[in-house]
Amino acid sequence: MSVRIDIAGLRPERVAVVPSPLAELGMALHALSEPGHHPGLQGWVTGVTARMEPHLADRMCEADFLWRSTFSDLFLPYAAVPGAVPGGTLAEELDQLDKLTDEQFVDAALEFTCVPAYDTSAPTLLSDPAGRRRALEVAASRGPQQVRFAQRLLDDPPGVRAWLRRFLEDCAGAFFDETWARLRHQLAADARHKTDLLRRKGLADALAAVSPVVTLDEAGARITVDKLTDGRGVVDADGLLLVPTSLGWPHLMVLHRFGWQPVLHYPVGSPELAAPPSVETLTLRMAALSHPVRMRLCRYLARSAYTTSELAQVQGLSAPEISRHLGVLKKAGLVTTRRRGRYVLHQLDVTVVARLGSDFLEGILR
């Protein structure tokens, strides 16, 4: 399983390595919402949370599906603007976000469904009643707050866009400006290093420096990113963007949305994880994870809670088969279950998985 990006005919000068303050703000919001994904950031998360105003924390929860369960493409808006690259400031990139059409904005914002039409051409949600109904159904399984926000987004895109911009600007003033001032020098240095590799040694060496799981084929026509998901993107005249992040490990994001410029959003540095559990517990848990279907389930459940029927749909299996696999994961203490109204939601306990070691955690969160 992998994400493949076709780059046949890509000229070297069309590959750019550029830090992005908006992408880093998105990753900051993700780390604050899902600290279990980022054990190396516990000190930063604690410090920011302790001094955050309650009203800002409430607003963060209002639309947290944009950064909790998945890293929304809205934080990489330049990929949808022909010929654009990340801006030098957060304000510049928020202006790029404003250039997206309402259709682009809504489709990117509602990329929390279990089976999105992501890398193929499809009707936009604003013009597709069936897609709109499905988006609201999936939102309903996440709780009333998310369905309310999704309904607002579908009914009033301009109002939600204005709300989101104000929220991101308030986050910048509350905590992110200080964080960005500290991180941007490291990211700029990494971008210079990767750019130098591109010029001196070529794309293959630069990609190898991004991550050992990113490779270029011998013909130089396809990039493959080893991930527990399948996807395909195509580079057009706008080229390929590499965007470093200091807050992102272990996530290696690949934007391959249909019609957008492909982006590799890659982490710089890797914090150490905790020691593994006892041999007996480790044996039980690794045995539970030995099946490829359960590995794929973990990928989804690490990002958000899903119902059995949603998982059955995306895996192409029956609900009883999914239930049997979930039972094995629950017996090993890897999956938790909670009820929200008439929905039963399952989610991976990433703090438990983290104790299995960095290789597995990085693999499912990549």
Side-chain angles (χ1 to χ4, degrees):
M1 303 183 72
S2 60
V3 176
R4 299 164 299 283
I5 302 175
D6 294 333
I7 61 168
L10 176 66
R11 301 193 308 273
E13 63 270 20
R14 300 305 301 164
V15 181
V17 191
V18 188
S20 168
L22 181 56
E24 201 70 352
L25 173 53
M27 192 53 66
L29 290 169
H30 170 69
L32 290 169
S33 300
E34 284 287 3
H37 286 195
H38 304 272
L41 297 177
Q42 289 180 353
W44 178 82
V45 168
T46 300
V48 171
T49 303
R51 64 176 187 270
M52 185 179 295
E53 294 290 339
H55 75 279
L56 186 60
D58 290 342
R59 290 161 67 197
M60 184 181 300
C61 294
E62 190 172 343
D64 69 350
F65 65 83
L66 293 177
W67 46 78
R68 179 188 291 272
S69 60
T70 186
F71 183 77
S72 174
D73 292 344
L74 292 178
F75 292 102
L76 306 164
Y78 28 82
V81 181
V85 297
T89 66
L90 180 62
E92 290 178 29
E93 293 191 339
L94 290 176
D95 290 342
Q96 291 174 329
L97 182 60
D98 289 341
K99 292 181 180 179
L100 269 60
T101 66
D102 284 348
E103 289 77 10
Q104 289 174 317
F105 185 92
V106 170
D107 284 356
L110 292 182
E111 187 218 326
F112 59 83
T113 57
C114 211
V115 199
Y118 184 77
D119 54 9
T120 58
S121 179
T124 67
L125 290 174
L126 292 180
S127 63
D128 179 19
R132 179 189 181 104
R133 287 193 299 271
R134 186 182 69 172
L136 292 174
E137 288 171 1
V138 174
S141 72
R142 306 293 189 271
Q145 183 167 270
Q146 186 155 319
V147 76
R148 283 195 300 268
F149 195 91
Q151 188 72 65
R152 284 175 52 202
L153 183 59
L154 290 165
D155 292 343
D156 181 22
V160 174
R161 296 178 70 159
W163 179 92
L164 180 62
R165 175 156 187 157
R166 287 193 301 271
F167 169 72
L168 295 175
E169 289 171 340
D170 290 346
C171 287
F175 65 87
F176 182 70
D177 285 346
E178 178 184 345
T179 300
W180 179 247
R182 175 173 54 86
L183 298 179
R184 63 186 180 90
H185 301 292
Q186 178 195 20
L187 297 177
D190 183 83
R192 287 193 298 270
H193 172 63
K194 300 295 191 302
T195 301
D196 183 59
L197 281 175
L198 274 169
R199 292 172 178 168
R200 291 190 300 105
K201 297 187 176 182
L203 182 58
D205 284 73
L207 294 175
V210 164
S211 171
V213 304
V214 183
T215 57
L216 181 66
D217 67 0
E218 292 185 2
R222 175 176 291 179
I223 296 171
T224 299
V225 184
D226 183 28
K227 292 170 68 73
L228 280 169
T229 187
D230 283 316
R232 181 176 180 271
V234 179
V235 167
D236 58 18
D238 288 332
L240 175 69
L241 284 174
L242 309 181
V243 177
T245 168
S246 287
L247 301 176
W249 188 90
H251 305 301
L252 173 60
M253 308 294 185
V254 186
L255 189 160
H256 54 100
R257 178 181 292 276
F258 181 83
W260 291 38
Q261 180 181 8
V263 180
L264 291 179
H265 187 220
Y266 66 92
V268 177
S270 304
E272 293 296 325
L273 291 177
S278 66
V279 173
E280 292 82 6
T281 302
L282 182 61
T283 300
L284 176 64
R285 290 175 177 170
M286 294 306 291
L289 296 168
S290 62
H291 196 286
V293 170
R294 293 195 285 271
M295 287 278 285
R296 291 196 297 270
L297 289 176
C298 286
R299 171 177 171 78
Y300 286 97
L301 298 174
R303 288 165 167 77
S304 184
Y306 289 98
T307 65
T308 300
S309 60
E310 288 174 340
L311 293 169
Q313 184 181 13
V314 75
Q315 295 294 329
L317 300 172
S318 68
E321 287 178 288
I322 292 295
S323 293
R324 285 194 292 272
H325 287 296
L326 288 173
V328 174
L329 294 170
K330 292 174 191 175
K331 185 176 179 181
L334 298 172
V335 166
T336 60
T337 297
R338 70 179 187 275
R339 180 174 291 277
R340 188 189 293 274
R342 62 189 179 92
Y343 299 99
V344 177
L345 300 174
H346 313 284
Q347 189 162 21
L348 193 72
D349 189 334
V350 293
T351 57
V352 172
V353 176
R355 291 195 292 270
L356 295 178
S358 61
D359 288 346
F360 182 75
L361 183 65
E362 182 175 356
I364 61 172
L365 292 180
R366 187 175 296 148

